[in-house]
Amino acid sequence: MKNSADPGGSDEIIATIGNRDDKAQNVQIRYLRDENAFVTSGIRLLFREREILIPAELVVVDFHLMGAIVSAILERLSQARDMETTFQYEPRFQVLDKTYSLEEWGEYVRLTVVE
């Protein structure tokens, strides 16, 4: 697994998700060619939590849905920091009648669809 800071492992920025209340909070979505996956960039710096790795096949199905999931997670991270409470990634959650899981995957948490 390549380190996301390794320029050989990631390509250009695909998208940026910004906090509408705090313009300094931006998380980028990058493509990791070696993993055939998309990864967030900025969660570790802003919140001291693992970045999220999303396999490319999930993004191809619905790019906007994956963005909405990452945005919802970022909102929870931001709220936990603002309230000075501990944050933990939810191991399972539902969005539009599908169950997803987040599991540790090297230096990331990997998003998968639970069958």
Side-chain angles (χ1 to χ4, degrees):
M1 179 173 296
K2 286 265 189 189
N3 183 322
S4 62
D6 181 351
S10 61
D11 292 336
E12 75 275 1
I13 298 167
I14 304 300
T16 299
I17 300 171
N19 182 331
R20 66 177 167 247
D21 298 327
D22 183 349
K23 301 298 182 201
Q25 289 183 2
N26 288 308
V27 172
Q28 300 169 340
I29 307 291
R30 297 180 177 269
Y31 179 68
L32 287 181
R33 185 175 312 134
D34 294 344
E35 293 288 333
N36 191 30
F38 294 86
V39 66
T40 59
S41 177
I43 291 176
R44 183 170 308 214
L45 178 67
L46 291 168
F47 303 105
R48 294 190 174 113
E49 294 290 342
R50 291 175 186 250
E51 300 291 347
I52 302 167
L53 182 124
I54 306 167
E57 63 268 13
L58 294 182
V59 176
V60 169
V61 171
D62 193 336
F63 183 77
H64 295 290
L65 177 61
M66 294 303 115
I69 290 171
V70 172
S71 291
I73 293 169
L74 290 174
E75 181 67 26
R76 290 185 196 119
L77 278 162
S78 186
Q79 288 172 351
R81 186 176 72 181
D82 292 347
M83 295 188 306
E84 298 179 3
T85 60
T86 303
F87 173 84
Q88 280 190 302
Y89 284 108
E90 292 180 43
R92 286 181 181 242
F93 57 93
Q94 280 195 309
V95 177
L96 299 175
D97 298 325
K98 281 193 179 180
T99 303
Y100 296 88
S101 69
L102 287 169
E103 60 186 41
E104 289 186 15
W105 185 266
E107 64 183 285
Y108 306 104
V109 288
R110 181 176 186 228
L111 179 71
T112 58
V113 177
V114 177
E115 300 294 330

